[in-house]
Amino acid sequence: MPGHKKNFPRLSRPLTKLKSHYDAIVVGSGYGASIAASRLARAGKRVCILERGEERWPGEYPEDTLECASEIQFNGEHGHEGKKTGLYEIHKNKDQWAFVACGLGGTSLLNANTALRPNDRIWDDNVWPEELAQDKELLEQSFQHALDMLQPEPYPEDWPVLQKLSTLETMAKGAGAHDKFIRPPITVHFKDAVNPAGVAQKASTLTGNDTTGINDWSKNTTLMNYIPDAWNHGAEIFTCCNVIRVDKASKKSGTSGPYTVYFEWQEPGREAFLNDHGNAITPMFITADIVVLGAGALGSTEILLRSSKTGFKTSNQLGKQFSGNGDFLAFSYNGETPVHGVSMGDEDPKKFEHKVGPVITGLIDYRNTPNVMDGYVVEEGAIPAQAAPFLRGVYQVMSEKSTRSIKTAQDLSIQEKINRNARELSSYVGGVYRGAMDNTQTFLVMSHDDARGELQLQDDRIRIHWPGVGSSRNFSRLDKLLEPLAEAVRGTYVRDPLTAATDEAVVTVHPIGGCGIGRNGATGVINHKCQVFTGQGDEVYEGLYVMDGAVMPMSLGVNPFLAISALAERACTLLARDRGWTIKYEPTLTPIDFKKPQFPIPYNEAENNPEAYAWAQTLTKASLREVAQADGAVRGIIVSKPFPDDSSSEEESKPKRILPSIFSSWGKSEQEDPKKKAGVSFTEMLMGHFSTVILTEDFDTADNQARAAGSTMNMTIDLSTGPIEEFLKRTDHQARIIGTVSCRALSDEPMMIEAGVFTIYTGSDEDPADECAILYKMILLCASGERYRFEGRKPIIAGDILEGWINPSYVNVTVFKKEDGVEKVVGRGKLGEHDGDFFSQISSLRGDSTSVTANLKAIKQFGVSAFEAKVKTYLPFLKDLQYPEDTPNRKTYPRERPTPQTFDVVASDGYTTLLTRYRGKKGPVLLLHGASVSSGIFSTDLIPHNLCDYLLANDYDVWLSDWRMSFLVKDTHRQSPIYGGARDHAAAIKIILKETGVKNIQVVAHCVGSLTLWAGMLNGDVEGVGSLVSSQVATRPLLTTANKIKQGLQLVPLFENVLRQEEFGLVTHSPSSPSSSPGAEKENPHESAAATSPPPPSSSGGGSVDPYPAKPGGYKTTLLDRAVDNLLRFMPMPQQEYCNNTVCHRSSFCYGLLWEHDKLSKNLHDNLDSIMGSINLESLRGLVTGWTKKQTLMDVDGKDLVTEENLRRVFENLPVLLIHGAKNQVFIPESTLKTVEQLRDLLPMTNMTYDYKSIYRREVIPGYGHLDCIVGEKAYQDVYPFILDHLERNLATTGYATAREE
């Protein structure tokens, strides 16, 4: 196919661009439907074409046997077989078979091109409405309009001689009918030219492939003229959309259009996915003011029959007056004359020995009979090359058994018999282009039958009932009339194999009738204007038409498509005349540009569909931006103004045609990008329950309530990525959504997704650290016209292998509705996938490009990326390691705090640390952090609520200590015994007592900060503590089993003595980072994000010593760092706690898992380097081989400090609260249990002065681990209240127990 082979046009649009309402919907794309679409579009109407088949252009039609076989679909007694969008559709019935095409262009794609007008006497039959006879001028004008567009012409005399045409002429002469032989006009191009629709067509290559699909651009199918003409005038085309019924739309105020059209989207990949799950395709719907049914005699009748089953009133004649147009197929087998009547198939026309020609080029016209119903035409044909090998054996068997062949054999000489046998052998040896098959002529006969067939619905499928049609007088008569033609070339007359085998069933390629035209509903289904009757009288549905072969109330005796076209042209003329519209019939003079329509129809959503426009505005700007980024092809969403950072002109910012393109503020025309790259689509099915009773965010309760009530919700959606490269580059991986949602609690009918966006593997800053999410945002449109807003969130828990690969995941659903202008929640629920749906979804992948190579590449890219994302999400240790440099931006929460005061703290052993005060009215309270962190764990701006600001909000005088294990002080890098921390605490408390003038303070101490504080108090070095809150550990540091194992591995000596390390850093940097250091560029975590000036020095000389570590020059990551980081990714962790964060890995290796990932925000987890640092190995050794190994606290000399005497001396009258995370992976909960039991044992049972339960309290926090009790995103709700309650209870132990005036 020269010039067109690799660059096929695409007129059909993705279903994501389907509007919810059109001026007119045309169902089908054959002769009647395409004419309606073209004429309505030329009248300036917004037209939608719904075609159940696929779009194929010349060059895409199958040519070899296997390709053709894969495109065959059967509709038979036992159901449907084959691909529902297969090009070749065969309806198998007991009495009448029918062959039709399925594709954009309808049966015109496969017909035999013969443009014959019926005998004029046909129109005189009384079955036709009298209006046809009264206005013959209009009918003539309509025929001419069709001829002007279809451009039929006879096979040229000066073209190569076609042997099958010459053979038919020889037969006519031999049968005495040479005067009846003609070359009929056929819709084939015999020269390169631009047709009246502006499509450039090529001259025929004479392949004879008309009945399987012509690939040379010569065949004047509707895809070459009316359809592109409709598209060029603004019609929108959608394929794989099988219309199932039509109904009157709801009369509800605000509802668009009087007709609702329901259709099934039969995209092959989607259909296969649903079939695998045993689910039917849920119908979608759109509305229109006018609906034209042009799905063919079988299709249109089936739609109306199905509609009538649901209460849509029609004539009782619906389905009746069905005719096979008297079609009859026969053959002259193995005659003496070469015919060359087998099509070329996949042979190269340039190299093929004999030209076959168009299927029909000659005709013997027997219509001039006294009774018009006795007339018929005989046309030659071409046997499809793909079927010829099968028919070869069939013909031979049939010829041997035929009584007619015996008659012929009696007249044959011995030499003739030898020749006949030799030709049969030659067909087997040399192939179907030799011998008997090459000498076989095909007879295609159009005659008359009595049109008494009936179309019925059985099992919701169209079936043809016509008992005895195959044995009717007409077909017996034709046998006798055709025999002389075969005998003229000494051929054997053979009936079509089906009729011969059954003596009952016949085949038609021209099924007509079922919605016959009539004078009223008692005699027909439609009137002369092709409007559907509402019953038995004259009343019609003003906007519902049938324009195709179904309108014929009788057989025509010729190929019917020209008559169908004329009646459709006539109906369109009357339709426009009734409404005062003007149809422009001028031909398109310039070649069509398949990239952009020449005559687009302007469309303003705000004016044309104001309700959809208003609903679009309910989405937030953030949501709009998300949708806009999804390749600009989500339906139904517009903004009237550009966002502030959008650089668009004033003209571009005006609302304009955005359905289906998208927001005007992005300023791109929907047809602008001609070089669209391949994208990928796949299908997902979610099923579950939906409650209209439980409206809170308790989705589990809503699910349980809905289950009990039997309230279900099912969702079948298709997701389209747009260009795959852009999709994969986007960090949020947004895709477009189309599909349906079924929920009887919201709508009796399935709801269409009018607009939708799907965000894959997106985690916001507020999400838990181990959780990203899949988001579904959609507008749902009901058939009643009501709309809902749908939000779905599917949590993805990183590291949960079972959840990711075995257990189904769930979507938490919330649905909103507007009431009195206010959007309210109407229900919540949960939807789940089927087991193994991930792999089913992968199998449903399909590309949207015209290039097979591009599609395969896109599918490969998507499949590999999706699988990698799945693996790395649920097996995050396989992901690329995340270093601090990988999250350069962090979200911070502004703080309003009192002006800080800082104090240099010098311990008794000379270590310098830092103390920061935020002045308040109650307290004071000192906050002590643990090892390898800083006071930033209490004051971090990475979470909305921290402990420091929580206490400040409750008027406390808050003091933050950055003692020697804080990475924010220089001396953190000096080697120090673990007990050294007690000296820092003692010095800090002395400063607080001096500055505030109080006797005692309250302290909140975490982890090693708590251990060192208790050690100092028990040893007598720390004084002035009146009340204490200890987090996670106190006197008994009992390790988890995992930590005990690490303790026995002697890792500290390994790092110290073998690897020559002085400290273990929890923060390493990316190999691509040339120079960096843990803490090198840290900001003071106490400062508000808005602070711009350093804190002033205190009166005690604070600030005279720089408390922050200097940037060490030239720090580089080492090979050891890389090795450790990569080894730690495989460190055993509890299920659901795997991640790829190197800081998280190192902290877990050093101390054990410090948090439950679902308790940390993603923002904090991504920026752990802001709160984590390092620990010197001497302190770590003291902790690991000293205190935790002995399970007690010791001084620098190794003396046990946890004695009854020390406990009684220090804590007998000191209130203590112990807080422990129930899932702590550092110190087991028994640690604090043993401490609280020791403390309670101090009080004698006879001493009733104290209630030991109020003095020594312990709170175990469900679901929490270690540090997340301090920095967890919900710690302010789950943990901080316990701390505040303890501080409030014991304010009397401090110097200012109540709020005081400064």
Side-chain angles (χ1 to χ4, degrees), residues 88-102:
Y88 316 113
E89 183 173 16
I90 299 172
H91 288 263
K92 303 185 298 181
N93 301 277
K94 180 180 179 182
D95 312 308
Q96 175 82 63
W97 288 36
F99 174 78
V100 296
C102 177

Side-chain angles (χ1 to χ4, degrees), residues 167-176 330-337 339 364 366 378 402-412 416 420 423 439-441 443 478-494:
T167 300
L168 184 65
E169 185 173 10
T170 300
M171 290 176 167
K173 289 180 180 179
F331 303 90
S332 169
Y333 173 69
N334 196 9
E336 292 183 347
T337 305
V339 175
I364 306 174
Y366 289 100
V378 179
S402 171
T403 57
R404 301 175 183 89
S405 68
I406 296 174
K407 178 181 177 182
T408 303
Q410 292 173 349
D411 299 332
L412 295 178
E416 288 177 320
R420 289 176 64 86
R423 289 197 297 269
N439 287 26
T440 295
Q441 177 75 292
F443 298 130
L478 289 175
D479 283 331
K480 296 178 181 178
L481 295 172
L482 293 176
E483 284 178 17
L485 298 178
E487 290 174 359
V489 292
R490 310 295 282 174
T492 301
Y493 176 76
V494 177

Side-chain angles (χ1 to χ4, degrees), residues 192-214:
D192 295 355
V194 175
N195 69 25
V199 177
Q201 291 190 248
K202 297 288 184 178
S204 174
T205 54
L206 306 179
T207 63
N209 289 336
D210 304 67
T211 56
T212 55
I214 284 286

Side-chain angles (χ1 to χ4, degrees), residues 850-898:
T850 59
S851 168
V852 175
T853 302
N855 284 337
L856 291 175
K857 180 181 177 182
I859 291 171
K860 176 185 174 182
Q861 287 179 278
F862 180 86
V864 170
S865 298
F867 188 78
E868 285 181 354
K870 186 89 170 179
V871 168
K872 291 180 180 180
T873 298
Y874 294 111
L875 303 174
F877 48 79
L878 298 179
K879 293 174 68 174
D880 294 337
L881 291 173
Q882 179 186 6
Y883 291 94
E885 291 77 14
D886 298 328
T887 53
N889 299 319
R890 68 176 192 173
K891 181 175 182 179
T892 58
Y893 297 86
R895 308 295 182 191
E896 293 184 4
R897 297 175 183 160

